Amino acid sequence: MTKRLALPALPLVLTALLTGCGQDTYGQDEKNLQVDNGEEFTLSVPVEAAMGEDWYLASPAPDKDVVRSTGDREETDGSDNDGGQSATHYFDFKAVGKGTTEIRLLECPSLGCAGGGDAGGEISPSPVPSGSPTPGADERGRYHTYKVTVK
């Protein structure tokens, strides 16, 4: 007689294993983060792709002894109510040592920032030319600072 393994328990075991493998994702409004040493986490920000908006990891970089960037990506969410495409930009990090550091992201509306970008060089909010009308707040580059404490 052969014995059979109890397969009904397999989905429960797989669910338990996969639940612990995820990483925390923090939205644009979550500015004070506490993460465990060794934890991977993501900052998630909305992108108005149809309007030419971009996001960048800005200088100064986070303390490399506390947090390290592991990459970034942009995912299109589909069409928004205005017929354009909405997207989300994800910045991935890993906590590598105890301490506190800041992560700065730069939000760049279309033509709202100057610099090298992917071609190299630092990106910063564009200056307003003298004699020109001051652009509205939604047309200028803005920094978003996240304080990260690694326990």
Side-chain angles (χ1 to χ4, degrees):
M1 182 185 312
T2 57
K3 294 184 180 182
R4 292 186 186 191
L5 294 174
L7 291 180
L10 185 60
L12 295 174
V13 171
L14 288 175
T15 301
L17 288 172
L18 294 175
T19 302
C21 294
Q23 63 186 44
D24 290 327
T25 300
Y26 300 95
Q28 184 177 358
D29 296 330
E30 299 174 85
K31 300 293 187 180
N32 293 303
L33 315 177
Q34 289 194 9
V35 297
D36 293 323
N37 194 5
E39 182 179 341
E40 293 180 352
F41 64 97
T42 299
L43 300 179
S44 167
V45 293
V47 177
E48 293 184 36
M51 300 302 291
E53 181 177 65
D54 282 313
W55 285 78
Y56 301 94
L57 181 59
S59 296
D63 183 342
K64 64 180 174 45
D65 294 329
V66 179
V67 169
R68 292 206 180 123
S69 172
T70 59
D72 68 299
R73 66 198 180 284
E74 191 170 293
E75 295 179 7
T76 302
D77 301 330
S79 296
D80 63 18
N81 293 336
D82 297 327
Q85 284 199 319
S86 59
T88 303
H89 199 124
Y90 298 96
F91 293 88
D92 300 317
F93 297 91
K94 182 168 184 172
V96 295
K98 292 182 180 183
T100 300
T101 190
E102 289 185 346
I103 297 172
R104 292 181 66 198
L105 300 181
L106 178 57
E107 177 183 10
C108 293
S110 177
L111 306 176
C113 295
D118 294 334
E122 187 173 327
I123 297 172
S124 60
S126 295
V128 177
S130 60
S132 296
T134 302
D138 60 337
E139 298 171 333
R140 294 184 299 227
R142 293 177 291 285
Y143 289 104
H144 298 264
T145 303
Y146 300 81
K147 181 178 177 182
V148 180
T149 301
V150 178
K151 305 180 269 177

